[in-house]
Amino acid sequence: DFIELKTIEWRILDSHYGYVRLTGFYKNTVTNFKKAVDEMEAKDPALKGLLIDLRNNPGGDAESSFGLSRMFLNPGTIVSFESNFPGLNVKITANGEPTYRWPVVIIVNEGSASASELFSGAMQCNNRAKLIGRRTYGKNAVQSFLPISDDAGLYLTIGHFFLPGDVSIEGKGLIPDLPVDQNIGEEELLGKAIQLIKKCE
């Protein structure tokens, strides 16, 4: 049988703030995210902000993270891709009006990697969101798999993503605006996240 993984969940927290948890970035992430927000707005028309939980989100489809970024960012740079291969250098941008203008706080930890770091970093570097949690994993390399034989292959690093301002997170990760201890309880963490998002209003 096919097993359908639940990759997104949401709920309304006290004081009219929406909470969305993403476990990965997939082809349908942007569509599912919009559906979740539509459902939250229908349940609470007085929604005032979003908490996006990317803890232990290993990334996945980078294009989905760019699509999600465009839903929040004004026109400008999301990330840049730089490679030693001619013709592969490109700048990924947001060009239209953002879908959502609420204040945003993103929850991260050492398990937040790759595409989740690109989204979080683009939001942080563009002053569109505050990060709370712990330093992220630190991966912005792009790799391509080259088969060598039936049972062997080679992962080749073909380039790196850079956040606005030519910021590299490779091996360094993102530093949260509000760091928290790893032993903090869930209720206390969300309470601190709500306090942080109120300062962004």
Side-chain angles (χ1 to χ4, degrees), residues 110 112-114 117-118 135-142 157 159-163 167-175:
E110 61 279 354
S112 308
S114 193
E117 291 179 288
L118 297 180
R135 185 192 296 262
T136 62
Y137 181 79
K139 181 182 184 297
N140 65 353
V142 178
T157 298
H160 293 82
F161 283 114
F162 290 86
L163 297 173
V167 175
S168 172
I169 59 172
E170 186 69 26
K172 297 181 291 187
L174 297 166
I175 299 175

Side-chain angles (χ1 to χ4, degrees), residues 139-151:
K139 181 182 184 297
N140 65 353
V142 178
Q143 297 172 314
S144 179
F145 181 74
L146 303 175
I148 297 175
S149 64
D150 290 341
D151 59 355

Side-chain angles (χ1 to χ4, degrees), residues 71-91:
M71 299 180 83
F72 292 94
L73 295 178
N74 289 317
T77 301
I78 299 174
V79 297
S80 299
F81 178 73
E82 296 184 11
S83 171
N84 290 327
F85 292 86
L88 289 185
N89 293 349
V90 65
K91 183 174 289 187

Side-chain angles (χ1 to χ4, degrees), residues 12-27:
I12 303 293
L13 302 177
D14 294 340
S15 305
H16 308 289
Y17 293 102
Y19 169 92
V20 184
R21 181 176 180 85
L22 298 176
T23 60
F25 281 89
Y26 306 95
K27 297 294 184 184

Side-chain angles (χ1 to χ4, degrees), residues 146-194:
L146 303 175
I148 297 175
S149 64
D150 290 341
D151 59 355
L154 175 70
Y155 275 104
L156 177 67
T157 298
I158 61 172
H160 293 82
F161 283 114
F162 290 86
L163 297 173
D166 290 329
V167 175
S168 172
I169 59 172
E170 186 69 26
K172 297 181 291 187
L174 297 166
I175 299 175
D177 299 282
L178 180 58
V180 299
D181 186 83
Q182 63 178 357
N183 297 319
I184 191 172
E186 187 73 8
E187 186 174 337
E188 183 181 357
L189 173 62
L190 293 180
K192 288 182 177 294
I194 289 177

